[in-house]
Amino acid sequence: MKEEDHIEEKNPIETLLRMDRIPHIWCPGCGIGIVVTSFAEALRKSEIDLDKVAVVSGIGCTGRVAGYIKLDSFHTTHGRAVPFATGLKLANPELKVIVFSGDGDIAGIGGNHFIHAARRNMDIMVICVNNFNYAMTGGQVAATTPTGANASTAPYGNFEYPFSLPYLAEASGATYVARWTALHLRRVTKSIQEALTKRGFSFIEVITPCVTLYARRNRLGDGLNLLKYYYEKSEIQHGADTRTLDISYQGKLIVGKFVDKEKPTFLDCMNEHLAKKLGDKYQPYGVNNG
Amino acid sequence: MKKVKADPKGVLTGSHYLDGDYALAEGALAAGCRFFAGYPITPSTETAERFSERIPSVGGVFIQMEDELASISALIGAVWGGKKVMTVTSGPGFSLMMENIGLACMMETPLVIANVQRGGPSTGLPTLTGQQDMMQARWGSHGDYEIIALSPDSPQECFDLTIEAFNLSETFRVPTFVMTDECVGHMHEKVVIPPADKIELVERKWYKGPKDKYLPYKLDKDQIPFMIKAGDDYRFHTTGLTHDERGYPVINAECQDVCVRHLVDKITTNADKIIRTEEEEIDTAEIIVISYGITSRVTTKAVQQARKAGIKVGTIRLITVWPFPEKRIKELAKKVKAFVVPEINYGQIVLEVERCAGGQAPAILVPHCGGGVHDPDDIFSAIKEAAK
Ligand SMILES: Cc1ncc(C[n+]2csc(CCOP(=O)(O)OP(=O)(O)O)c2C)c(N)n1
Ligand code: SF4
Ligand SMILES: [Mg+2]
């Protein structure tokens, strides 16, 4: 074989990954990598200046995403990715700030930050990998675990009511809300692309297989079996009323884009209001961008 | 370390009558702080109020967050977005900030937190004074690390030391605390704010070399790595995990050793440059009273009484509390009969004095559990007793 035959063609998304950190830590069959691929694909396809994109993660299996994305990236503390992103965005409004983290991180320990960032219409995007459990720590019950599912700290099954994340996001004020599963690769990419062009708080939930913990503990088979479940039970309903999106154990998964509207962002409101109140005394802040 | 003059936009030059809380906000604005994220808590709220009123005409952001966990997280984010940042709080809020104070240490993020202390534990005495968070400031977050803490004794010092806190935090890339208390925070006194060109600021240690050579945690000659901000085409990574020069996580004991030693050593080996104390009549002293913040003002009266009674008393006022002036106390312990340490807590800094004295001279605590300042007579009695 000639030498050049050895040179594999570089996957175009590799330029967006920290290849010097591969192999990654995720289990074989884990769905997080699929979502990262969709994300990188969306960034590649989008027209935005990638030097102005920053990724912030909290802690968890999904929280490791920031460490693999070759952009300005921040691996923060458990639950605090959203307020960290808020500070980053406000300090440098020309940035497009994306939070990429797990369901426990965003809706459990970080739930309060999540609803307040949505309420303020902070101009950030949140991509939430929902694997129905706290994976990194060994598969404990989460705020998103369907009632009846087993988890390491719900050994007799979960008897609590889970959050419906799109409903929570819309009720809190998000201007873009979508839910997909890891099966809907192209849809996830498209949603992220759309959200990249929007200003305001956007939220994308991606239901993702955790094969090692959630699937195994619930005897649901491997990653493929979970994707099969997504295939059989997901139903695209764009514009569905977010009050109808509850997820029951192995039940129907309503996916789609539910909210897509325009509303002034935190900085829009701040600038407009203070300029009105203070007139010439006011020094407009970061007005050209965000 | 590059020094620059303050931006006149933030400097309210003149002679004012301000309380300590307001002076903290003015100090921050003069130091170039343009981002403040906070959550209301007595007796510190006035600082946030002042900042929120002043910042729109200076150019910057004030945001009231949903809690103190969010406030400190937003601060760290804002530093990496390029801003100088501050928040203010009191005991319960300080407790909530602890985890991310650790993150700021780990990411070597310069920021300033003022703690207007009140009596604790728990909700304790919301409206009354205390100095009970002094050890928390040093040890409150988990793991090994070093921070810097200053203790102002007047509104003027709230202004001056806030500027100094910014300068130290930028020089060493470390969270720096202004540990004041309810008395100083709510005390109105004259505060002189100099013209902007008389205020010297330490500029952030911006990296200026070739972009592809940048390593976020590669130490410069002075042990402090260079900083950059997001959005400038570096595509860098930073993490709260133990990391190497690249900012990449490395989970083993060897990397931990390098990483943690650095976080500690950059402060301990520069302690002499950081520490400021005010000493009086030390050379002839038999007894040395060591105090800080509001307690040093009460101490003055007790010391006058003692001197009148013929006791040779010297004083040390800790302007820097952390790092602690270890060397100096060690030295003096050989010469004096005793140290007397009044503080509005049940024994915190006295432990540090005792440690440094190493058995050469006793360290006598004059405690006050909070809610008021000492009766100078109690300090006087302790001095008399020590001199016997
Ligand atoms: C303050 C704090 N509490 C607990 C933990 C332990 N912890 C690490 S990751 C995690 C759960 C992560 O779950 P999720 O966000 O859903 O991410 P996943 O691992 O499922 O992707 C927990 C509880 C921590 N790191 N910090
Ligand atoms: S534990 Fe679950 S979520 Fe974590 S890497 Fe493994 S499969 Fe993925
Ligand atoms: Mg999870």
Side-chain angles (χ1 to χ4, degrees):
Chain A
M1 242 195 290
K2 280 194 301 187
E3 209 193 321
E4 47 266 37
D5 291 339
H6 285 289
I7 302 167
E8 283 177 50
E9 203 176 313
K10 234 186 173 179
N11 184 333
I13 67 161
E14 278 184 15
T15 57
L16 286 166
L17 300 176
R18 295 187 190 278
M19 296 309 288
D20 52 348
R21 290 210 59 220
I22 304 295
H24 56 66
I25 62 154
W26 297 310
C27 308
C30 174
I32 297 171
I34 307 180
V35 190
V36 172
T37 307
S38 294
F39 176 56
E41 191 60 20
L43 289 172
R44 197 180 65 79
K45 285 186 174 160
S46 79
E47 311 268 88
I48 59 171
D49 178 0
L50 293 177
D51 288 329
K52 302 293 177 203
V53 180
V55 179
V56 184
S57 292
I59 300 293
C61 293
T62 315
R64 289 304 190 96
V65 167
Y68 297 116
I69 299 284
K70 202 171 170 189
L71 295 172
D72 291 339
S73 59
F74 301 90
H75 183 216
T76 66
T77 45
H78 194 24
R80 316 302 162 212
V82 167
F84 187 104
T86 294
L88 187 59
K89 173 69 191 179
L90 293 181
N92 191 352
E94 63 174 16
L95 293 175
K96 191 88 212 170
V97 181
I98 298 153
V99 171
F100 202 132
S101 219
D103 50 307
D105 197 72
I106 284 173
I109 190 167
N112 195 35
H113 308 311
F114 176 70
I115 60 175
H116 283 278
R119 172 182 65 77
R120 297 183 181 108
N121 198 23
M122 197 54 66
D123 185 16
I124 60 176
M125 186 199 308
V126 175
I127 299 171
C128 177
V129 166
N130 181 2
N131 52 18
F132 298 145
N133 74 151
Y134 284 161
M136 174 66 96
T137 38
Q140 292 77 31
V141 71
T144 46
T145 308
T147 311
N150 287 324
S152 76
T153 47
Y156 309 109
N158 177 29
F159 50 79
E160 291 189 26
Y161 308 105
F163 265 142
S164 162
L165 298 180
Y167 180 29
L168 182 65
E170 183 180 20
S172 306
T175 51
Y176 184 97
V177 180
R179 170 197 277 165
W180 298 106
T181 77
L183 187 71
H184 300 91
L185 253 176
R186 284 205 325 277
R187 309 266 189 179
V188 174
T189 303
K190 187 163 169 257
S191 262
I192 295 173
Q193 271 183 277
E194 263 178 24
L196 279 172
T197 64
K198 279 193 70 89
R199 298 169 74 255
F201 190 87
S202 38
F203 176 68
I204 300 167
E205 175 186 20
V206 188
I207 295 164
T208 306
C210 167
V211 285
T212 310
L213 300 162
Y214 183 78
R216 189 173 294 168
R217 193 173 305 273
N218 287 290
R219 299 182 199 287
L220 297 173
D222 57 15
L224 212 59
N225 292 87
L226 283 184
L227 292 177
K228 198 157 157 260
Y229 155 56
Y230 299 164
Y231 178 73
E232 282 165 4
K233 291 291 179 74
S234 61
E235 197 177 301
I236 298 177
Q237 283 186 30
H238 290 302
D241 184 337
T242 55
R243 286 173 300 183
T244 65
L245 304 177
D246 284 350
I247 298 174
S248 63
Y249 180 57
Q250 290 296 96
K252 192 155 79 179
L253 300 167
I254 298 171
V255 297
K257 178 170 81 176
F258 310 120
V259 180
D260 187 354
K261 61 184 180 196
E262 302 297 327
K263 198 166 84 174
T265 65
F266 175 89
L267 279 183
D268 294 338
C269 297
M270 178 178 108
N271 277 319
E272 194 190 329
H273 182 78
L274 292 177
K276 204 155 62 192
K277 289 281 173 188
L278 299 174
D280 290 346
K281 248 179 75 187
Y282 182 57
Q283 305 278 318
Y285 182 81
V287 278
N288 299 329
N289 10 63
Chain B
M1 186 172 52
K2 197 176 153 201
K3 295 248 172 103
V4 292
K5 303 277 178 245
D7 170 6
K9 260 195 288 178
V11 185
L12 204 65
T13 304
S15 181
H16 309 270
Y17 190 62
L18 295 178
D19 73 2
D21 281 3
Y22 275 16
L24 291 170
E26 290 304 334
L29 289 164
C33 172
R34 296 295 179 265
F35 183 88
F36 188 112
Y39 190 82
I41 185 165
T42 307
S44 75
T45 310
E46 291 88 336
T47 307
E49 289 170 346
R50 175 82 171 192
F51 200 94
S52 67
E53 192 189 328
R54 291 262 287 122
I55 195 68
S57 50
V58 174
V61 177
F62 169 87
I63 182 167
Q64 184 170 310
M65 297 300 287
E66 50 275 15
D67 58 29
E68 290 86 345
L69 303 162
S71 303
I72 172 115
S73 305
L75 289 195
I76 303 171
V79 173
W80 288 100
K83 289 278 184 283
K84 290 174 95 174
V85 305
M86 185 196 193
T87 191
V88 68
T89 189
S90 191
F94 203 45
S95 292
L96 287 190
M97 289 180 188
M98 284 302 147
E99 189 199 13
N100 284 291
I101 285 171
L103 181 67
C105 289
M106 201 59 152
M107 288 183 167
E108 301 195 55
T109 308
L111 54 84
V112 175
I113 302 175
N115 179 346
V116 187
Q117 295 171 89
R118 60 196 230 181
S122 192
T123 314
L125 302 170
T127 56
L128 301 176
T129 199
Q131 293 182 313
Q132 296 171 310
D133 308 344
M134 301 308 294
M135 280 294 178
Q136 186 186 24
R138 172 66 188 86
W139 301 105
S141 195
H142 54 283
D144 288 316
Y145 61 95
E146 288 271 340
I147 48 75
I148 297 173
L150 311 176
S151 176
D153 73 347
S154 65
Q156 179 69 53
E157 265 198 359
C158 284
F159 176 83
D160 296 339
L161 293 189
T162 298
I163 294 174
E164 183 158 337
F166 272 96
N167 285 345
L168 289 166
S169 82
E170 295 292 342
T171 305
F172 297 102
R173 287 188 58 178
V174 74
T176 300
F177 306 139
V178 181
M179 298 296 291
T180 184
D181 71 284
E182 186 276 332
C183 279
V184 174
H186 286 164
M187 164 194 297
H188 283 78
E189 278 182 355
K190 188 169 138 183
V191 175
V192 178
I193 299 182
D197 63 3
K198 292 275 162 358
I199 300 174
E200 273 208 334
L201 302 177
V202 173
E203 195 185 58
R204 186 156 296 166
K205 198 174 167 184
W206 297 117
Y207 177 74
K208 302 219 168 74
K211 281 197 174 162
D212 56 335
K213 292 277 176 332
Y214 180 69
L215 290 168
Y217 293 98
K218 187 177 161 54
L219 307 192
D220 187 22
K221 287 184 287 289
D222 65 355
Q223 299 184 64
I224 310 301
F226 285 99
M227 264 204 101
I228 52 168
K229 63 180 171 60
D232 286 348
D233 189 17
Y234 285 95
R235 308 210 182 171
F236 68 104
H237 182 64
T238 178
T239 174
L241 289 168
T242 297
H243 49 262
D244 61 14
E245 288 184 337
R246 295 171 299 175
Y248 288 3
V250 179
I251 310 302
N252 65 38
E254 292 73 38
C255 189
Q256 169 80 349
D257 189 73
V258 175
C259 188
V260 173
R261 268 178 206 273
H262 162 63
L263 296 181
V264 173
D265 290 353
K266 70 175 178 178
I267 303 302
T268 52
T269 59
N270 284 305
D272 289 347
K273 286 184 212 147
I274 299 168
I275 293 169
R276 269 180 59 198
T277 58
E278 215 171 65
E279 298 185 348
E280 263 177 35
E281 299 190 27
I282 291 290
D283 294 343
T284 54
E286 264 180 70
I287 307 293
I288 293 179
V289 185
I290 300 177
S291 60
Y292 53 93
I294 186 65
T295 307
S296 52
R297 292 177 69 152
V298 183
T299 297
T300 308
K301 187 141 184 245
V303 168
Q304 281 164 1
Q305 275 172 286
R307 285 182 186 147
K308 239 184 243 161
I311 307 170
K312 287 185 181 135
V313 193
T315 57
I316 298 179
R317 178 166 81 90
L318 306 175
I319 296 171
T320 316
V321 178
W322 304 114
F324 194 73
E326 197 167 307
K327 261 203 259 166
R328 184 65 177 147
I329 305 296
K330 256 183 203 149
E331 218 171 77
L332 293 170
K334 293 186 206 129
K335 300 184 194 158
V336 298
K337 209 161 166 186
F339 295 103
V340 171
V341 187
E343 46 184 345
I344 310 176
N345 58 51
Y346 209 43
Q348 297 194 10
I349 295 303
V350 69
L351 299 175
E352 203 59 5
V353 176
E354 192 173 85
R355 180 181 71 78
C356 298
Q360 306 249 27
I364 299 159
L365 169 70
V366 189
H368 188 308
C369 284
V373 296
H374 289 78
D375 181 339
D377 283 345
D378 293 341
I379 303 173
F380 177 43
S381 305
I383 297 171
K384 263 196 305 198
E385 193 64 25
K388 262 188 202 160

